Amino acid sequence: MFLFNAAVMGYGESSWMKIVLDHLDAIAVNVANTSRLQEECFVLTIHLSKVKDSVNLPEFKAVMLAALRSIVPDEWNMDHEMAWNWLWESVERIISSTISFPRAYEKTIRTFLFEQSEANMNQLRAQTYSCFFQRCPSGQDHFKQSTTRLYFILDRNYEMVLEIFENPAKVVEDLSALGLRHVGFGVPVEFFPPFVASAVEALNTLTTDEAISQAFTWSETLISKILMRVILEGSTIVMKAINLNEEAALRKAISVAPRGQRAQQLLNITAGTQSFSPLFWAIDSGSLNSAKAIIQDPERREAKRGPYSVLAQGKWAPQSDGDQVYTACAGACDSPDNLLMTGESCFGSCPKIEVPWSPVAKFFGVKSRDEFQRMIRNAGANLEQYRQFQISQSVIFLYLIMQWMVAFFEWAKATAVVLGLVIFQTRMMSVNEIEMAVMIQ
């Protein structure tokens, strides 16, 4: 309807309107969240700054209101008119004040970073971490990698600072995926503001140009906002319980979920445009106690009732004959050894069902069958190690019991020999006394 009204009103050739329309849904949904609204407007500003045509935001407002009046003519009233006018005025104010920033900031940052020598870059990296650990000492518990790895993290950060101006859509996707990995690692969002402040402070040691500092701060702040938002959206009670790797904690976390949402919360977390599987994260990170609790969740062990998919929209939906199917294992296993299967290879004797491929890809966050098989093989390796560890524990326990029993029998044997000698000597003494008494008589 919007595009139709735009064509009728003579704005059909305005390519920037389609860009704004793509972001309008996120803007309208998050109008009550000031930080998220500002984030969406900043990203939209970067997109609009790359458009060669002139951007006239009041034109979009006219087309938007015309489309809304056409969609809901009966319910539309002055309250709706005032609300949407207020929304667009707020968005227009933010975009108008920042639309000139991206081009100038990109050029400033690019010129500064490419002019630095390797010695200056090493000084910048070291100074950043030094300032960060002074501001936030608890960050040392998370940055425990080698110096090379820490420098790589900062280099990737500098790349994103530039790349967000060149391809903002791709950077937002990458940041969403990175934020979900931070959820699995249990990184607190409180670390990001001091990290940004430390990066800016380290940058100021190499330059006194206020424009460079302002451009770097703007880009770093936007990146940190996206990461913090994704982490907050993805930090569910299930993920927090998985990080603890305790079955009791995970059962307690999932017990508050409604019956119809248990599978959804155990198999899929969505933050932004990315999805994340708590089950596969538990397996890949070695939290096998949590993975076992997820598989043994009684509300999900219903696959044996019929050929139903355990992954379709979090419900028990029968598969269609036309779908491509993939063999998976039902959630009725009694141990993590029987967790998953691929092809004809199964980690245990558990019922098989045919699962449509599209729900598998959606809920387990994989894009291809090869990636799914690779994750399954990793899961099998971890589970085999877990099983071998359990077996080794049992063998060691039995070995200790047998050693104790052998030692006990040796002690009993020695005790019996000593007692036999004592009794024998006692009897010999008694016989000698009798013989002496007879001789005396």
Short mmCIF file of all heavy atoms in Angstrom, two decimals, residues 353-416:
data_model
loop_
_atom_site.label_atom_id
_atom_site.label_comp_id
_atom_site.label_asym_id
_atom_site.label_seq_id
_atom_site.Cartn_x
_atom_site.Cartn_y
_atom_site.Cartn_z
N ILE A 353 12.36 -40.56 14.09
CA ILE A 353 11.26 -39.89 13.43
C ILE A 353 11.82 -39.12 12.25
O ILE A 353 13.00 -38.81 12.20
CB ILE A 353 10.51 -38.92 14.37
CG1 ILE A 353 11.48 -37.90 14.94
CG2 ILE A 353 9.81 -39.65 15.47
CD1 ILE A 353 10.81 -36.82 15.73
N GLU A 354 10.98 -38.82 11.28
CA GLU A 354 11.37 -38.05 10.12
C GLU A 354 11.02 -36.60 10.38
O GLU A 354 9.87 -36.24 10.57
CB GLU A 354 10.66 -38.55 8.87
CG GLU A 354 11.02 -39.98 8.48
CD GLU A 354 12.48 -40.12 8.14
OE1 GLU A 354 13.03 -39.18 7.56
OE2 GLU A 354 13.08 -41.15 8.47
N VAL A 355 12.04 -35.73 10.39
CA VAL A 355 11.85 -34.32 10.72
C VAL A 355 12.02 -33.48 9.46
O VAL A 355 13.01 -33.63 8.76
CB VAL A 355 12.86 -33.87 11.79
CG1 VAL A 355 12.66 -32.40 12.13
CG2 VAL A 355 12.70 -34.72 13.03
N PRO A 356 11.07 -32.58 9.11
CA PRO A 356 11.28 -31.69 7.97
C PRO A 356 12.55 -30.87 8.14
O PRO A 356 12.85 -30.42 9.24
CB PRO A 356 10.02 -30.81 7.99
CG PRO A 356 9.02 -31.58 8.75
CD PRO A 356 9.78 -32.38 9.75
N TRP A 357 13.27 -30.66 7.03
CA TRP A 357 14.56 -29.99 7.14
C TRP A 357 14.40 -28.53 7.57
O TRP A 357 15.22 -28.00 8.30
CB TRP A 357 15.30 -30.06 5.82
CG TRP A 357 16.51 -29.20 5.78
CD1 TRP A 357 16.74 -28.11 5.01
CD2 TRP A 357 17.67 -29.32 6.62
NE1 TRP A 357 17.95 -27.56 5.29
CE2 TRP A 357 18.55 -28.28 6.28
CE3 TRP A 357 18.05 -30.21 7.63
CZ2 TRP A 357 19.77 -28.11 6.89
CZ3 TRP A 357 19.27 -30.03 8.23
CH2 TRP A 357 20.12 -29.00 7.87
N SER A 358 13.38 -27.83 7.09
CA SER A 358 13.24 -26.40 7.40
C SER A 358 13.12 -26.12 8.89
O SER A 358 13.78 -25.20 9.40
CB SER A 358 12.04 -25.82 6.65
OG SER A 358 10.86 -26.53 6.95
N PRO A 359 12.34 -26.90 9.68
CA PRO A 359 12.35 -26.66 11.14
C PRO A 359 13.69 -26.96 11.78
O PRO A 359 14.10 -26.29 12.72
CB PRO A 359 11.26 -27.61 11.66
CG PRO A 359 10.39 -27.86 10.49
CD PRO A 359 11.29 -27.85 9.31
N VAL A 360 14.41 -27.96 11.24
CA VAL A 360 15.74 -28.26 11.79
C VAL A 360 16.66 -27.06 11.62
O VAL A 360 17.34 -26.62 12.55
CB VAL A 360 16.33 -29.51 11.10
CG1 VAL A 360 17.78 -29.70 11.51
CG2 VAL A 360 15.52 -30.74 11.44
N ALA A 361 16.67 -26.50 10.41
CA ALA A 361 17.52 -25.35 10.14
C ALA A 361 17.13 -24.16 11.00
O ALA A 361 17.97 -23.41 11.48
CB ALA A 361 17.44 -24.99 8.65
N LYS A 362 15.83 -23.99 11.21
CA LYS A 362 15.36 -22.81 11.96
C LYS A 362 15.70 -22.93 13.44
O LYS A 362 16.25 -22.02 14.04
CB LYS A 362 13.86 -22.66 11.78
CG LYS A 362 13.27 -21.51 12.59
CD LYS A 362 11.78 -21.40 12.36
CE LYS A 362 11.19 -20.27 13.20
NZ LYS A 362 9.73 -20.16 13.04
N PHE A 363 15.39 -24.06 14.03
CA PHE A 363 15.51 -24.17 15.47
C PHE A 363 16.93 -24.43 15.94
O PHE A 363 17.29 -24.06 17.04
CB PHE A 363 14.58 -25.26 16.02
CG PHE A 363 13.18 -24.80 16.21
CD1 PHE A 363 12.27 -24.91 15.18
CD2 PHE A 363 12.77 -24.23 17.39
CE1 PHE A 363 10.97 -24.48 15.34
CE2 PHE A 363 11.49 -23.79 17.56
CZ PHE A 363 10.58 -23.92 16.53
N PHE A 364 17.74 -25.08 15.10
CA PHE A 364 19.12 -25.35 15.50
C PHE A 364 20.10 -24.35 14.92
O PHE A 364 21.29 -24.47 15.14
CB PHE A 364 19.53 -26.78 15.11
CG PHE A 364 18.89 -27.83 15.95
CD1 PHE A 364 17.82 -28.56 15.47
CD2 PHE A 364 19.33 -28.06 17.24
CE1 PHE A 364 17.20 -29.52 16.25
CE2 PHE A 364 18.72 -29.02 18.02
CZ PHE A 364 17.65 -29.75 17.53
N GLY A 365 19.59 -23.35 14.21
CA GLY A 365 20.45 -22.26 13.76
C GLY A 365 21.51 -22.66 12.75
O GLY A 365 22.61 -22.14 12.77
N VAL A 366 21.20 -23.63 11.88
CA VAL A 366 22.14 -24.06 10.86
C VAL A 366 21.59 -23.70 9.49
O VAL A 366 20.38 -23.57 9.31
CB VAL A 366 22.41 -25.58 10.94
CG1 VAL A 366 23.12 -25.93 12.23
CG2 VAL A 366 21.11 -26.37 10.84
N LYS A 367 22.50 -23.54 8.52
CA LYS A 367 22.10 -23.12 7.19
C LYS A 367 22.20 -24.22 6.14
O LYS A 367 21.69 -24.07 5.03
CB LYS A 367 22.95 -21.92 6.75
CG LYS A 367 22.77 -20.70 7.65
CD LYS A 367 23.63 -19.55 7.18
CE LYS A 367 23.46 -18.34 8.09
NZ LYS A 367 24.31 -17.20 7.68
N SER A 368 22.88 -25.30 6.47
CA SER A 368 23.05 -26.37 5.49
C SER A 368 23.13 -27.69 6.22
O SER A 368 23.37 -27.76 7.43
CB SER A 368 24.32 -26.15 4.67
OG SER A 368 25.47 -26.22 5.50
N ARG A 369 22.93 -28.76 5.47
CA ARG A 369 23.01 -30.10 6.05
C ARG A 369 24.44 -30.43 6.48
O ARG A 369 24.65 -31.13 7.47
CB ARG A 369 22.52 -31.14 5.03
CG ARG A 369 21.04 -30.99 4.69
CD ARG A 369 20.65 -31.99 3.61
NE ARG A 369 19.27 -31.81 3.20
CZ ARG A 369 18.24 -32.37 3.79
NH1 ARG A 369 18.44 -33.15 4.82
NH2 ARG A 369 17.01 -32.15 3.35
N ASP A 370 25.42 -29.93 5.72
CA ASP A 370 26.81 -30.19 6.08
C ASP A 370 27.14 -29.57 7.44
O ASP A 370 27.81 -30.19 8.28
CB ASP A 370 27.75 -29.62 5.02
CG ASP A 370 27.62 -30.35 3.69
OD1 ASP A 370 27.16 -31.51 3.71
OD2 ASP A 370 27.97 -29.76 2.65
N GLU A 371 26.65 -28.35 7.66
CA GLU A 371 26.89 -27.72 8.96
C GLU A 371 26.19 -28.48 10.08
O GLU A 371 26.74 -28.66 11.16
CB GLU A 371 26.38 -26.27 8.92
CG GLU A 371 26.64 -25.50 10.21
CD GLU A 371 26.14 -24.07 10.13
OE1 GLU A 371 25.67 -23.66 9.05
OE2 GLU A 371 26.20 -23.39 11.17
N PHE A 372 24.98 -28.98 9.79
CA PHE A 372 24.25 -29.75 10.80
C PHE A 372 24.99 -31.04 11.13
O PHE A 372 25.13 -31.41 12.30
CB PHE A 372 22.84 -30.05 10.29
CG PHE A 372 21.97 -30.77 11.28
CD1 PHE A 372 21.52 -30.12 12.41
CD2 PHE A 372 21.59 -32.08 11.08
CE1 PHE A 372 20.72 -30.76 13.33
CE2 PHE A 372 20.79 -32.74 11.99
CZ PHE A 372 20.35 -32.08 13.11
N GLN A 373 25.48 -31.73 10.09
CA GLN A 373 26.23 -32.97 10.31
C GLN A 373 27.52 -32.72 11.08
O GLN A 373 27.91 -33.51 11.93
CB GLN A 373 26.53 -33.65 8.98
CG GLN A 373 25.29 -34.21 8.28
CD GLN A 373 25.62 -34.80 6.93
OE1 GLN A 373 26.72 -34.62 6.43
NE2 GLN A 373 24.66 -35.49 6.34
N ARG A 374 28.19 -31.58 10.78
CA ARG A 374 29.42 -31.26 11.49
C ARG A 374 29.15 -31.01 12.97
O ARG A 374 29.89 -31.48 13.84
CB ARG A 374 30.07 -30.02 10.87
CG ARG A 374 31.41 -29.65 11.49
CD ARG A 374 32.13 -28.61 10.68
NE ARG A 374 31.39 -27.37 10.59
CZ ARG A 374 30.75 -26.96 9.50
NH1 ARG A 374 30.76 -27.70 8.40
NH2 ARG A 374 30.09 -25.81 9.50
N MET A 375 28.05 -30.31 13.26
CA MET A 375 27.70 -30.07 14.66
C MET A 375 27.31 -31.38 15.35
O MET A 375 27.62 -31.58 16.52
CB MET A 375 26.55 -29.06 14.74
CG MET A 375 26.92 -27.68 14.21
SD MET A 375 25.57 -26.49 14.32
CE MET A 375 25.56 -26.20 16.09
N ILE A 376 26.65 -32.27 14.60
CA ILE A 376 26.28 -33.56 15.17
C ILE A 376 27.53 -34.37 15.51
O ILE A 376 27.62 -35.01 16.56
CB ILE A 376 25.38 -34.34 14.19
CG1 ILE A 376 24.03 -33.64 14.05
CG2 ILE A 376 25.18 -35.77 14.66
CD1 ILE A 376 23.23 -33.63 15.31
N ARG A 377 28.52 -34.34 14.58
CA ARG A 377 29.76 -35.08 14.85
C ARG A 377 30.48 -34.53 16.07
O ARG A 377 31.01 -35.28 16.88
CB ARG A 377 30.66 -35.04 13.61
CG ARG A 377 30.20 -35.93 12.47
CD ARG A 377 31.30 -36.09 11.43
NE ARG A 377 31.56 -34.84 10.75
CZ ARG A 377 30.96 -34.46 9.64
NH1 ARG A 377 30.06 -35.25 9.08
NH2 ARG A 377 31.27 -33.31 9.08
N ASN A 378 30.49 -33.20 16.20
CA ASN A 378 31.10 -32.60 17.39
C ASN A 378 30.35 -33.02 18.64
O ASN A 378 30.94 -33.30 19.69
CB ASN A 378 31.12 -31.08 17.26
CG ASN A 378 32.03 -30.61 16.16
OD1 ASN A 378 32.95 -31.32 15.77
ND2 ASN A 378 31.79 -29.42 15.64
N ALA A 379 29.02 -33.04 18.52
CA ALA A 379 28.22 -33.47 19.66
C ALA A 379 28.53 -34.92 20.02
O ALA A 379 28.67 -35.28 21.19
CB ALA A 379 26.73 -33.31 19.35
N GLY A 380 28.67 -35.77 18.98
CA GLY A 380 28.99 -37.18 19.24
C GLY A 380 30.34 -37.34 19.93
O GLY A 380 30.49 -38.16 20.83
N ALA A 381 31.32 -36.54 19.49
CA ALA A 381 32.64 -36.62 20.12
C ALA A 381 32.58 -36.22 21.58
O ALA A 381 33.14 -36.88 22.46
CB ALA A 381 33.63 -35.73 19.37
N ASN A 382 31.85 -35.12 21.87
CA ASN A 382 31.72 -34.68 23.26
C ASN A 382 30.99 -35.70 24.10
O ASN A 382 31.36 -35.98 25.24
CB ASN A 382 30.99 -33.33 23.31
CG ASN A 382 31.83 -32.19 22.80
OD1 ASN A 382 33.06 -32.28 22.83
ND2 ASN A 382 31.20 -31.15 22.32
N LEU A 383 29.94 -36.28 23.52
CA LEU A 383 29.16 -37.26 24.28
C LEU A 383 29.96 -38.54 24.50
O LEU A 383 29.85 -39.17 25.55
CB LEU A 383 27.86 -37.56 23.54
CG LEU A 383 26.89 -36.38 23.47
CD1 LEU A 383 25.71 -36.74 22.57
CD2 LEU A 383 26.40 -36.02 24.85
N GLU A 384 30.77 -38.92 23.49
CA GLU A 384 31.61 -40.11 23.67
C GLU A 384 32.64 -39.88 24.76
O GLU A 384 32.90 -40.78 25.57
CB GLU A 384 32.30 -40.44 22.33
CG GLU A 384 33.15 -41.70 22.37
CD GLU A 384 32.34 -42.94 22.63
OE1 GLU A 384 31.11 -42.91 22.38
OE2 GLU A 384 32.90 -43.94 23.10
N GLN A 385 33.22 -38.68 24.80
CA GLN A 385 34.14 -38.36 25.88
C GLN A 385 33.44 -38.41 27.23
O GLN A 385 33.98 -38.90 28.22
CB GLN A 385 34.74 -36.97 25.65
CG GLN A 385 35.67 -36.89 24.45
CD GLN A 385 36.17 -35.48 24.22
OE1 GLN A 385 35.88 -34.59 25.01
NE2 GLN A 385 36.91 -35.29 23.15
N TYR A 386 32.21 -37.90 27.24
CA TYR A 386 31.44 -37.93 28.49
C TYR A 386 31.17 -39.37 28.92
O TYR A 386 31.29 -39.71 30.09
CB TYR A 386 30.12 -37.17 28.28
CG TYR A 386 29.22 -37.14 29.50
CD1 TYR A 386 29.46 -36.24 30.53
CD2 TYR A 386 28.13 -37.98 29.59
CE1 TYR A 386 28.64 -36.19 31.63
CE2 TYR A 386 27.30 -37.95 30.68
CZ TYR A 386 27.55 -37.04 31.72
OH TYR A 386 26.73 -37.00 32.81
N ARG A 387 30.81 -40.21 27.93
CA ARG A 387 30.53 -41.61 28.26
C ARG A 387 31.79 -42.32 28.75
O ARG A 387 31.77 -43.07 29.71
CB ARG A 387 29.97 -42.32 27.02
CG ARG A 387 29.47 -43.73 27.29
CD ARG A 387 28.87 -44.32 26.04
NE ARG A 387 29.86 -44.52 25.02
CZ ARG A 387 30.66 -45.59 24.96
NH1 ARG A 387 30.56 -46.54 25.87
NH2 ARG A 387 31.54 -45.72 23.99
N GLN A 388 32.93 -42.08 28.04
CA GLN A 388 34.18 -42.69 28.46
C GLN A 388 34.59 -42.21 29.85
O GLN A 388 35.13 -42.97 30.64
CB GLN A 388 35.28 -42.35 27.44
CG GLN A 388 35.05 -42.97 26.07
CD GLN A 388 35.15 -44.49 26.11
OE1 GLN A 388 35.72 -45.07 27.03
NE2 GLN A 388 34.57 -45.14 25.10
N PHE A 389 34.31 -40.93 30.13
CA PHE A 389 34.63 -40.41 31.46
C PHE A 389 33.80 -41.12 32.52
O PHE A 389 34.31 -41.48 33.59
CB PHE A 389 34.35 -38.90 31.50
CG PHE A 389 34.54 -38.29 32.87
CD1 PHE A 389 35.80 -38.14 33.42
CD2 PHE A 389 33.43 -37.89 33.61
CE1 PHE A 389 35.97 -37.58 34.67
CE2 PHE A 389 33.59 -37.33 34.86
CZ PHE A 389 34.86 -37.18 35.40
N GLN A 390 32.50 -41.34 32.22
CA GLN A 390 31.66 -42.06 33.17
C GLN A 390 32.17 -43.50 33.36
O GLN A 390 32.20 -44.01 34.47
CB GLN A 390 30.22 -42.06 32.69
CG GLN A 390 29.50 -40.73 32.87
CD GLN A 390 28.04 -40.84 32.56
OE1 GLN A 390 27.63 -41.58 31.67
NE2 GLN A 390 27.23 -40.12 33.30
N ILE A 391 32.54 -44.15 32.24
CA ILE A 391 33.05 -45.52 32.34
C ILE A 391 34.34 -45.56 33.15
O ILE A 391 34.53 -46.44 34.00
CB ILE A 391 33.26 -46.09 30.93
CG1 ILE A 391 31.91 -46.26 30.22
CG2 ILE A 391 34.02 -47.40 30.98
CD1 ILE A 391 32.04 -46.72 28.78
N SER A 392 35.24 -44.61 32.88
CA SER A 392 36.50 -44.59 33.62
C SER A 392 36.27 -44.37 35.10
O SER A 392 36.95 -44.96 35.94
CB SER A 392 37.41 -43.50 33.06
OG SER A 392 36.82 -42.23 33.24
N GLN A 393 35.27 -43.52 35.43
CA GLN A 393 34.94 -43.33 36.84
C GLN A 393 34.50 -44.65 37.47
O GLN A 393 34.93 -45.00 38.58
CB GLN A 393 33.84 -42.29 36.98
CG GLN A 393 34.31 -40.85 36.96
CD GLN A 393 33.19 -39.91 37.28
OE1 GLN A 393 32.06 -40.10 36.86
NE2 GLN A 393 33.50 -38.88 38.03
N SER A 394 33.63 -45.39 36.76
CA SER A 394 33.15 -46.66 37.29
C SER A 394 34.29 -47.67 37.43
O SER A 394 34.38 -48.39 38.43
CB SER A 394 32.06 -47.22 36.37
OG SER A 394 31.00 -46.30 36.24
N VAL A 395 35.17 -47.73 36.41
CA VAL A 395 36.29 -48.67 36.47
C VAL A 395 37.20 -48.35 37.64
O VAL A 395 37.64 -49.24 38.38
CB VAL A 395 37.06 -48.64 35.13
CG1 VAL A 395 38.36 -49.42 35.25
CG2 VAL A 395 36.20 -49.20 34.01
N ILE A 396 37.51 -47.07 37.81
CA ILE A 396 38.38 -46.67 38.92
C ILE A 396 37.74 -47.02 40.25
O ILE A 396 38.40 -47.51 41.18
CB ILE A 396 38.69 -45.16 38.84
CG1 ILE A 396 39.56 -44.87 37.62
CG2 ILE A 396 39.37 -44.67 40.11
CD1 ILE A 396 39.77 -43.40 37.36
N PHE A 397 36.44 -46.79 40.37
CA PHE A 397 35.74 -47.10 41.62
C PHE A 397 35.79 -48.61 41.90
O PHE A 397 36.06 -49.03 43.04
CB PHE A 397 34.30 -46.62 41.52
CG PHE A 397 33.49 -46.87 42.76
CD1 PHE A 397 33.75 -46.16 43.94
CD2 PHE A 397 32.47 -47.81 42.77
CE1 PHE A 397 33.02 -46.39 45.08
CE2 PHE A 397 31.73 -48.04 43.90
CZ PHE A 397 32.00 -47.33 45.07
N LEU A 398 35.54 -49.42 40.85
CA LEU A 398 35.59 -50.87 41.04
C LEU A 398 37.01 -51.34 41.38
O LEU A 398 37.20 -52.25 42.19
CB LEU A 398 35.09 -51.58 39.77
CG LEU A 398 33.59 -51.43 39.47
CD1 LEU A 398 33.26 -52.07 38.13
CD2 LEU A 398 32.75 -52.08 40.58
N TYR A 399 37.99 -50.71 40.71
CA TYR A 399 39.38 -51.07 40.98
C TYR A 399 39.74 -50.78 42.43
O TYR A 399 40.39 -51.59 43.10
CB TYR A 399 40.29 -50.30 40.05
CG TYR A 399 41.76 -50.51 40.31
CD1 TYR A 399 42.40 -51.68 39.93
CD2 TYR A 399 42.51 -49.52 40.96
CE1 TYR A 399 43.74 -51.88 40.18
CE2 TYR A 399 43.85 -49.71 41.21
CZ TYR A 399 44.47 -50.89 40.82
OH TYR A 399 45.80 -51.08 41.09
N LEU A 400 39.31 -49.64 42.95
CA LEU A 400 39.60 -49.30 44.35
C LEU A 400 38.92 -50.28 45.30
O LEU A 400 39.50 -50.68 46.31
CB LEU A 400 39.14 -47.87 44.64
CG LEU A 400 39.94 -46.75 43.93
CD1 LEU A 400 39.32 -45.41 44.25
CD2 LEU A 400 41.40 -46.78 44.37
N ILE A 401 37.68 -50.66 44.97
CA ILE A 401 36.98 -51.64 45.81
C ILE A 401 37.72 -52.97 45.81
O ILE A 401 37.90 -53.61 46.87
CB ILE A 401 35.52 -51.80 45.33
CG1 ILE A 401 34.72 -50.52 45.60
CG2 ILE A 401 34.86 -52.99 46.02
CD1 ILE A 401 33.30 -50.59 45.13
N MET A 402 38.15 -53.39 44.62
CA MET A 402 38.87 -54.67 44.54
C MET A 402 40.20 -54.60 45.30
O MET A 402 40.57 -55.57 45.99
CB MET A 402 39.12 -55.03 43.07
CG MET A 402 37.84 -55.36 42.30
SD MET A 402 38.16 -55.69 40.56
CE MET A 402 39.20 -57.14 40.69
N GLN A 403 40.90 -53.48 45.18
CA GLN A 403 42.15 -53.34 45.92
C GLN A 403 41.91 -53.39 47.42
O GLN A 403 42.67 -53.99 48.18
CB GLN A 403 42.83 -52.01 45.54
CG GLN A 403 43.39 -51.99 44.13
CD GLN A 403 44.60 -52.89 44.00
OE1 GLN A 403 44.47 -54.08 43.66
NE2 GLN A 403 45.76 -52.36 44.30
N TRP A 404 40.81 -52.74 47.83
CA TRP A 404 40.47 -52.77 49.27
C TRP A 404 40.15 -54.19 49.71
O TRP A 404 40.56 -54.62 50.80
CB TRP A 404 39.30 -51.84 49.53
CG TRP A 404 38.86 -51.83 50.96
CD1 TRP A 404 39.40 -51.13 51.98
CD2 TRP A 404 37.79 -52.60 51.52
NE1 TRP A 404 38.74 -51.39 53.15
CE2 TRP A 404 37.73 -52.30 52.89
CE3 TRP A 404 36.86 -53.51 50.99
CZ2 TRP A 404 36.79 -52.86 53.74
CZ3 TRP A 404 35.93 -54.08 51.84
CH2 TRP A 404 35.91 -53.74 53.20
N MET A 405 39.41 -54.92 48.84
CA MET A 405 39.05 -56.29 49.20
C MET A 405 40.29 -57.18 49.26
O MET A 405 40.42 -58.03 50.16
CB MET A 405 38.05 -56.85 48.19
CG MET A 405 36.67 -56.15 48.24
SD MET A 405 35.54 -56.78 46.99
CE MET A 405 35.36 -58.47 47.54
N VAL A 406 41.21 -56.99 48.31
CA VAL A 406 42.45 -57.77 48.34
C VAL A 406 43.23 -57.48 49.61
O VAL A 406 43.75 -58.39 50.28
CB VAL A 406 43.30 -57.48 47.08
CG1 VAL A 406 44.68 -58.07 47.21
CG2 VAL A 406 42.60 -58.03 45.84
N ALA A 407 43.33 -56.19 49.93
CA ALA A 407 44.05 -55.83 51.15
C ALA A 407 43.37 -56.42 52.39
O ALA A 407 44.04 -56.89 53.32
CB ALA A 407 44.13 -54.30 51.27
N PHE A 408 42.03 -56.39 52.36
CA PHE A 408 41.30 -56.97 53.49
C PHE A 408 41.57 -58.46 53.61
O PHE A 408 41.80 -58.99 54.72
CB PHE A 408 39.80 -56.71 53.31
CG PHE A 408 38.95 -57.36 54.36
CD1 PHE A 408 38.85 -56.82 55.64
CD2 PHE A 408 38.26 -58.53 54.08
CE1 PHE A 408 38.07 -57.44 56.61
CE2 PHE A 408 37.49 -59.15 55.04
CZ PHE A 408 37.38 -58.60 56.31
N PHE A 409 41.53 -59.18 52.47
CA PHE A 409 41.77 -60.62 52.53
C PHE A 409 43.20 -60.93 52.96
O PHE A 409 43.44 -61.90 53.69
CB PHE A 409 41.48 -61.25 51.16
CG PHE A 409 40.01 -61.35 50.85
CD1 PHE A 409 39.52 -60.96 49.62
CD2 PHE A 409 39.10 -61.83 51.80
CE1 PHE A 409 38.18 -61.04 49.33
CE2 PHE A 409 37.76 -61.94 51.50
CZ PHE A 409 37.28 -61.53 50.28
N GLU A 410 44.16 -60.12 52.50
CA GLU A 410 45.54 -60.33 52.94
C GLU A 410 45.65 -60.14 54.44
O GLU A 410 46.34 -60.90 55.14
CB GLU A 410 46.47 -59.35 52.21
CG GLU A 410 46.64 -59.63 50.72
CD GLU A 410 47.41 -60.91 50.48
OE1 GLU A 410 48.15 -61.33 51.39
OE2 GLU A 410 47.26 -61.51 49.39
N TRP A 411 44.98 -59.07 54.94
CA TRP A 411 45.00 -58.86 56.39
C TRP A 411 44.34 -60.00 57.12
O TRP A 411 44.84 -60.47 58.17
CB TRP A 411 44.30 -57.54 56.70
CG TRP A 411 44.16 -57.28 58.16
CD1 TRP A 411 45.07 -56.77 59.00
CD2 TRP A 411 43.00 -57.57 58.96
NE1 TRP A 411 44.60 -56.70 60.29
CE2 TRP A 411 43.30 -57.18 60.28
CE3 TRP A 411 41.75 -58.11 58.68
CZ2 TRP A 411 42.39 -57.31 61.33
CZ3 TRP A 411 40.84 -58.24 59.72
CH2 TRP A 411 41.16 -57.84 61.04
N ALA A 412 43.21 -60.48 56.61
CA ALA A 412 42.51 -61.59 57.26
C ALA A 412 43.36 -62.85 57.23
O ALA A 412 43.41 -63.62 58.20
CB ALA A 412 41.17 -61.82 56.56
N LYS A 413 44.07 -63.08 56.12
CA LYS A 413 44.92 -64.25 56.02
C LYS A 413 46.05 -64.19 57.03
O LYS A 413 46.34 -65.18 57.73
CB LYS A 413 45.48 -64.34 54.60
CG LYS A 413 46.38 -65.52 54.35
CD LYS A 413 46.86 -65.53 52.92
CE LYS A 413 47.83 -66.69 52.69
NZ LYS A 413 48.33 -66.71 51.29
N ALA A 414 46.68 -63.01 57.10
CA ALA A 414 47.77 -62.87 58.07
C ALA A 414 47.27 -63.03 59.50
O ALA A 414 47.92 -63.67 60.34
CB ALA A 414 48.43 -61.49 57.89
N THR A 415 46.12 -62.48 59.77
CA THR A 415 45.55 -62.60 61.12
C THR A 415 45.25 -64.06 61.45
O THR A 415 45.49 -64.54 62.58
CB THR A 415 44.28 -61.76 61.23
OG1 THR A 415 44.58 -60.40 60.88
CG2 THR A 415 43.69 -61.82 62.62
N ALA A 416 44.72 -64.79 60.47
CA ALA A 416 44.41 -66.20 60.70
C ALA A 416 45.67 -67.01 60.98
O ALA A 416 45.70 -67.88 61.84
CB ALA A 416 43.66 -66.76 59.49
#
